[in-house]
Amino acid sequence: NRSGKSSLSAKKLSTVARRLPDCKTTSVSGVYLVFAPSRSQISDPWGKKLLKASEGKGDLFEKPFIPPYEIANIRYTYGAGEPTVNLIELKNGNQILFCVSGDKNVWKRIEGKGMILGIVFDESAGTEQLLEEAMTRLLDANSNEQVNREAGGAWVLWGATQTKKSPAFERFLALGQSGANPDYAAFDLLPGENPAIDQAEREKMSAIMSKDAYEIRMLGHGSAAGAMALYPQWNDETNLVPLGQEYVPGIDDNLWVFYDPGTHYTGIVFAAV
């Protein structure tokens, strides 16, 4: 969570669509899809990172991932709020189409636009049917001799935090974790390992955060809950009521609060006695 998944995905997508060296790209022109759970997610971070700039400092962040001189046309969706980027047409013939995961008409929008060469899913939205449809749409590219020779076939990149049930994401993750199919791979992305996070930003965070907080944020070490010592005087004999045993308040019992501090968001008091 908050490890820069969208930044890394946007960087990889732009590299492939622009046909830069050392990536799974092909000289065959086609369509790259980006699925996000909402229009706001398409605007920020996707539209922001690809067309404007990122929020940090350093060469990687001060420039958009797709420079203006490589863009032939940009289309937007208009409605409530600011316009949302809908389609980026590159001068090299490739297109990047942006879709909301729950849009039932998404596949109609894609018809006639060309061969789908790659798909990025941002976060774990969508039904299992979405994954099946996506995989089916990649068959044309996977059967194309030139695409296979140059890029190894079409691809799917799915960056998500497992925060809620998503049948499509769970199935896709299971394919990667099983190890049975060499075409799938799953990995954890920590901020400290992410090439899309500038070194200057790491140094700035290490300067303003405590050592423990920095290790939790950047390296995934420890836990915020362990550092808070909310109930340091806990002991099972005094504080634990065995399962099935009725709790009888004692004369010296105090009011107490059960508190979940979380690791990324403000803690929530969810029960009090």
Side-chain angles (χ1 to χ4, degrees), residues 35 97 99-100 103-111 130:
F35 283 94
L97 183 64
C99 315
V100 176
D103 183 2
K104 297 180 180 178
N105 298 316
V106 63
W107 303 113
K108 292 182 180 179
R109 289 177 53 206
I110 295 168
E111 288 179 2
L130 177 63

Side-chain angles (χ1 to χ4, degrees), residues 50 65 107 136 152 154 176 271:
L50 292 176
F65 288 148
W107 303 113
T136 302

Side-chain angles (χ1 to χ4, degrees), residues 25-265:
T25 191
T26 173
S27 55
V28 176
S29 296
V31 180
Y32 295 92
L33 303 180
V34 176
F35 283 94
S38 65
R39 279 185 57 193
S40 61
Q41 183 86 351
I42 293 174
S43 292
D44 187 359
W46 281 92
K48 182 178 178 182
K49 294 182 187 301
L50 292 176
L51 301 173
K52 298 179 182 178
S54 241
E55 62 275 9
K57 294 181 180 179
D59 182 65
L60 179 64
F61 293 89
E62 292 175 347
K63 301 174 183 177
F65 288 148
I66 302 178
Y69 57 79
E70 293 187 16
I71 297 175
N73 185 35
I74 304 175
R75 297 180 186 175
Y76 291 91
T77 298
Y78 296 90
E82 64 178 312
T84 305
V85 60
N86 177 288
L87 178 69
I88 300 175
E89 297 177 344
L90 301 180
K91 292 181 179 178
N92 65 13
N94 284 330
Q95 301 178 66
I96 302 174
L97 183 64
F98 299 85
C99 315
V100 176
S101 303
D103 183 2
K104 297 180 180 178
N105 298 316
V106 63
W107 303 113
K108 292 182 180 179
R109 289 177 53 206
I110 295 168
E111 288 179 2
K113 289 193 176 295
M115 185 184 300
I116 298 176
L117 298 172
I119 301 176
V120 176
F121 289 103
D122 193 8
E123 292 303 343
S124 54
T127 64
E128 189 166 344
Q129 185 179 359
L130 177 63
L131 180 61
E132 293 175 358
E133 288 273 13
M135 293 302 202
T136 302
R137 305 289 168 152
L138 296 176
L139 292 178
D140 287 343
N142 284 334
S143 62
N144 185 285
E145 182 181 342
Q146 187 175 351
V147 174
N148 275 288
R149 184 175 67 252
E150 295 177 343
W155 50 266
V156 172
L157 174 62
W158 200 325
T161 304
Q162 287 180 281
T163 55
K164 55 186 178 181
K165 181 102 175 137
S166 169
F169 178 63
E170 293 297 330
R171 181 182 169 200
F172 184 75
L173 193 61
L175 289 170
Q177 290 175 328
S178 67
N181 192 326
D183 290 333
Y184 293 85
F187 62 94
D188 293 326
L189 178 65
L190 298 175
E193 301 171 347
N194 191 348
I197 296 182
D198 189 75
Q199 182 61 33
E201 288 300 297
R202 302 175 197 272
E203 294 171 358
K204 184 171 69 174
M205 281 193 283
S206 69
I208 63 176
M209 301 171 75
S210 69
K211 180 176 181 295
D212 288 344
Y214 180 78
E215 288 188 348
I216 292 168
R217 175 72 173 86
M218 296 298 290
L219 305 176
H221 294 170
S223 73
M228 294 182 74
L230 291 170
Y231 205 157
Q233 70 273 33
W234 174 280
N235 69 78
D236 288 355
E237 183 179 354
T238 303
N239 302 110
L240 181 65
V241 179
L243 187 64
Q245 179 177 319
E246 183 181 359
Y247 171 65
V248 180
I251 192 170
D252 294 324
D253 285 0
N254 297 313
L255 287 175
W256 57 271
V257 170
F258 190 21
Y259 177 75
D260 178 6
T263 54
H264 303 292
Y265 303 99

